[in-house]
Amino acid sequence: MRKKIVAGNWKMNNSLNETINLINDLKQNVGRTDVKVMISPSFPFLKTAVDQLKDVNIEVVAQNINDNKSGAYTGEVSTDMLKSVGVYTTLIGHSERRAYYHENDELLLKKINLALESNLNIIFCFGEELKDRKSNSHFDIVKSQLDNTVMKLDAKSWQKIVLAYEPVWAIGTGETASADQAQEIHEFVRNYILEKFSHKIANDLSIIYGGSVKPSNAVEIFNKKDVDGGLIGGAALNSNDFIQIIKANN
Ligand code: PGA
């Protein structure tokens, strides 16, 4: 079922106390909403977040997983570890992972397959760089990012997938894709999935937008018919802003 989603990616920010304070603010102020609210704190705080959000309708999401099930991978975190602390969804393919940790499509597909084998849900991020948009190859880039990864999945796996279109040039830059630019890619992706899979899969899939979403632009972006919500970075670190963004998707 297609859902409205607002997910906060806190990246490598906040101490334990700051994380707890932010969660308390959200608990007190998110209220009843049809929007699926998610937060993604850093690994050391996932268990605390899960415990604090027991009985609250806010899901805790991991920012990353390793592509191996277990073993001698110093510094890494496995899907089973996440499940053992009550985390059942992970981001995969965030542009910062692609750019700074050289995660390519091949590795991302391994991560996707392992997450699915482990019965985790996935928020899969993709999006073009500025040079791609300037050379008008953004549709081709997006298509190839999807072809090399999620388009290889079987029909059944799509139930566990949310797509997040995040144009790299709009992440953390203050520059947002216009609502029309977001809609154009979301529609393109939904149509492509319809063509390759089915009307039902395309229609049930949530496709969220990420890249400098803030209270002042959220309503316009979320009102577009193929934009089902947002993956929020900077603005999710401020509880007032994040709550306003959640409300913008109601
Ligand atoms: P931003 O980050 O909202 O700070 O641009 C979005 C993201 O990286 O998911």
Side-chain angles (χ1 to χ4, degrees):
M1 245 279 280
R2 191 151 151 196
K3 291 185 210 84
K4 294 178 178 191
I5 296 170
V6 173
N9 173 12
W10 292 346
K11 307 190 181 184
M12 198 174 73
N13 292 297
N14 292 337
S15 63
L16 176 62
N17 276 345
E18 286 163 339
T19 300
I20 291 172
N21 289 342
L22 203 42
I23 289 173
N24 280 338
D25 277 356
L26 297 179
K27 268 168 82 167
Q28 279 158 25
N29 296 300
V30 166
R32 282 169 64 90
T33 171
D34 291 338
V35 179
K36 187 171 168 76
V37 179
M38 299 166 132
I39 54 161
S40 193
S42 297
F43 287 135
F45 310 138
L46 289 176
K47 170 84 167 72
T48 305
V50 168
D51 289 346
Q52 282 213 301
L53 291 168
K54 214 172 265 167
D55 308 320
V56 179
N57 221 355
I58 299 178
E59 190 182 343
V60 180
V61 174
Q63 294 177 17
N64 185 31
I65 53 168
N66 186 263
D67 57 307
N68 297 286
K69 210 153 167 45
S70 66
Y73 301 99
T74 302
E76 293 295 302
V77 171
S78 75
T79 52
D80 286 347
M81 290 172 183
L82 294 177
K83 286 197 294 184
S84 74
V85 296
V87 172
Y88 299 99
T89 302
T90 183
L91 300 182
I92 294 181
H94 191 281
S95 67
E96 287 149 17
R97 303 286 326 164
R98 293 175 190 255
Y100 307 144
Y101 305 99
H102 314 293
E103 297 197 357
N104 59 19
D105 290 346
E106 196 188 331
L107 176 70
L108 297 178
L109 181 59
K110 272 186 81 186
K111 290 190 178 196
I112 290 169
N113 283 328
L114 178 61
L116 292 172
E117 256 171 54
S118 311
N119 209 20
L120 290 186
N121 300 300
I122 298 166
I123 302 177
F124 182 72
C125 309
F126 63 97
E128 81 283 358
E129 294 175 34
L130 187 58
K131 65 173 172 33
D132 308 320
R133 191 160 270 271
K134 283 197 166 144
S135 62
N136 211 26
S137 47
H138 45 297
F139 289 102
D140 292 342
I141 294 289
V142 160
K143 183 169 171 297
S144 108
Q145 288 175 336
L146 298 178
D147 279 341
N148 293 336
T149 55
V150 286
M151 299 313 275
K152 294 186 188 289
L153 299 177
D154 56 15
K156 178 171 107 291
S157 301
W158 283 94
Q159 293 167 16
K160 315 260 325 161
I161 309 276
V162 166
L163 293 183
Y165 170 55
E166 299 210 302
V168 178
W169 49 273
I171 296 179
T173 57
E175 187 160 350
T176 324
S178 69
D180 286 339
Q181 284 172 321
Q183 166 58 24
E184 187 180 47
I185 295 282
H186 285 224
E187 186 174 18
F188 168 76
V189 168
R190 201 180 299 283
N191 285 339
Y192 189 45
I193 288 164
L194 190 155
E195 190 189 298
K196 293 273 176 175
F197 290 92
S198 68
H199 186 272
K200 175 155 175 46
I201 289 175
N203 203 43
D204 282 353
L205 177 70
S206 298
I207 310 177
I208 60 179
Y209 167 81
S212 299
V213 176
K214 29 188 187 270
S216 57
N217 59 21
V219 172
E220 197 192 349
I221 296 171
F222 296 164
N223 272 343
K224 291 291 175 184
K225 86 173 178 10
D226 289 297
V227 179
D228 301 306
L231 180 54
I232 320 301
L237 293 169
N238 176 301
S239 55
N240 285 335
D241 286 355
F242 191 54
I243 289 158
Q244 280 188 60
I245 294 169
I246 294 165
K247 292 194 172 137
N249 202 15
N250 251 331

